[in-house]
Amino acid sequence: LLAFVLALSIALYGGVRWWNTELPDEGEREWRAGLRKYMETTVSIDIQDETLDQAVHTIQFCFPQRHVNLVLSPDMAAKETKFTFKVDNIATKDIFPLFCKQVGAEWDIRYGAIFIYPKGAERAVQEKPKANAAWERAILKRLSRRVSLCMGNEEFTGAFEFIGSMTRTHISFDPKLVNPIGVTLLSIDNMRADDVLNWMCFQTDTEWSLRQTDDGAGEIWIQPRSQK
């Protein structure tokens, strides 16, 4: 019976991995349930002579409903190769395997987004910091709020500070960050702020943590990605 259930799950969701790094909150459970339901709806997509970055943007806005966030791995987003991808009246769950096969990629679902990355070359996204002290719990609670935004080649410091202003949390930067690359996110809709931080750090080769301050309020600390 267990084998049958596993096989059925793979058939329904195209072998996609549903990552669970921690028990999702109510909003996350609702988001995942909605996405699973949406995967059975049909959609038509016509991409003509677009780069990967443009194509992912096109796919996202072909969805008949929002709350479906796509994140493209930076090394794939940098490719200038253009291609064509057209499907008619196809189940959404079948779009991503076909698309990824054509562009040499894989996909899974984690941290509030559908993540597309080079086949066989996945790079881990950091886990969220844990909260022990009261000030840490307070910051993570603020970061659990859901936000919607649209960024495209935003200046590094300003992009992170924008998230800080949305969550009323101060953000500081490690002086070792010299000429960091900008942030490129597609339209993000109804994603947790801490998930947005994870993806911003992933794209800029940095990581975030919580750091105590003299006033006791604490802050978000952005530093170069550790080499593990």
Side-chain angles (χ1 to χ4, degrees):
L1 178 60
L2 180 59
F4 172 78
V5 172
L6 179 59
L8 180 61
S9 298
I10 294 175
L12 286 175
Y13 299 110
V16 63
R17 289 174 286 170
W18 291 79
W19 288 62
N20 285 291
T21 55
E22 57 183 303
L23 289 176
D25 64 7
E26 189 62 37
E28 181 74 3
R29 284 192 291 268
E30 181 180 350
W31 177 83
R32 289 181 180 230
L35 186 56
R36 284 188 174 96
K37 182 179 180 180
Y38 174 72
M39 284 293 186
E40 296 302 322
T41 63
T42 59
V43 66
S44 296
I45 295 176
D46 187 4
I47 295 172
Q48 300 291 332
D49 199 32
E50 294 185 1
T51 64
L52 276 175
D53 197 27
Q54 293 169 335
V56 169
H57 192 274
T58 298
I59 291 174
Q60 181 164 356
F61 281 90
C62 282
F63 293 155
Q65 67 179 34
R66 298 296 300 278
H67 304 340
V68 179
N69 299 301
L70 304 183
V71 175
L72 182 64
S73 182
D75 44 358
M76 298 196 73
K79 293 183 177 180
E80 295 297 328
T81 304
K82 295 185 178 182
F83 68 100
T84 295
F85 179 76
K86 183 177 181 179
V87 292
D88 293 312
N89 199 35
I90 188 174
T92 304
K93 67 181 176 64
D94 296 325
I95 290 175
F96 296 104
L98 291 174
F99 177 77
C100 287
K101 182 179 181 180
Q102 180 168 335
V103 302
E106 296 181 59
W107 69 292
D108 60 46
I109 299 172
R110 65 177 99 172
Y111 296 125
I114 295 174
F115 178 40
I116 300 174
Y117 55 91
K119 185 175 181 179
E122 177 191 1
R123 183 159 62 90
V125 181
Q126 78 165 93
E127 294 187 10
K128 300 173 187 176
K130 303 299 182 182
N132 296 311
W135 65 270
E136 293 173 314
R137 292 192 294 271
I139 291 178
L140 292 186
K141 182 177 181 179
R142 293 196 297 274
L143 291 176
S144 69
R145 67 166 293 190
R146 293 183 174 272
V147 300
S148 297
L149 53 88
C150 185
M151 290 185 179
N153 296 321
E154 301 291 335
E155 185 270 331
F156 178 87
T157 302
F160 280 96
E161 289 179 341
F162 179 68
I163 297 298
S165 67
M166 295 182 74
T167 58
R168 305 187 308 281
T169 306
H170 186 261
I171 295 185
S172 291
F173 302 89
D174 191 325
K176 295 177 183 178
L177 289 169
V178 180
N179 298 322
I181 61 177
V183 177
T184 302
L185 286 177
L186 298 182
S187 180
I188 294 298
D189 185 44
N190 199 41
M191 181 185 286
R192 287 175 54 119
D194 50 7
D195 286 336
V196 176
L197 274 175
N198 269 17
W199 289 119
M200 290 172 64
C201 285
F202 176 81
Q203 292 190 335
T204 58
D205 207 29
T206 58
E207 60 187 23
W208 66 282
S209 59
L210 304 180
R211 190 172 74 162
Q212 193 167 19
T213 54
D214 292 339
D215 61 5
E219 65 181 7
I220 296 170
W221 177 247
I222 308 296
Q223 62 188 28
R225 182 183 178 95
S226 59
Q227 303 298 320
K228 297 180 181 179

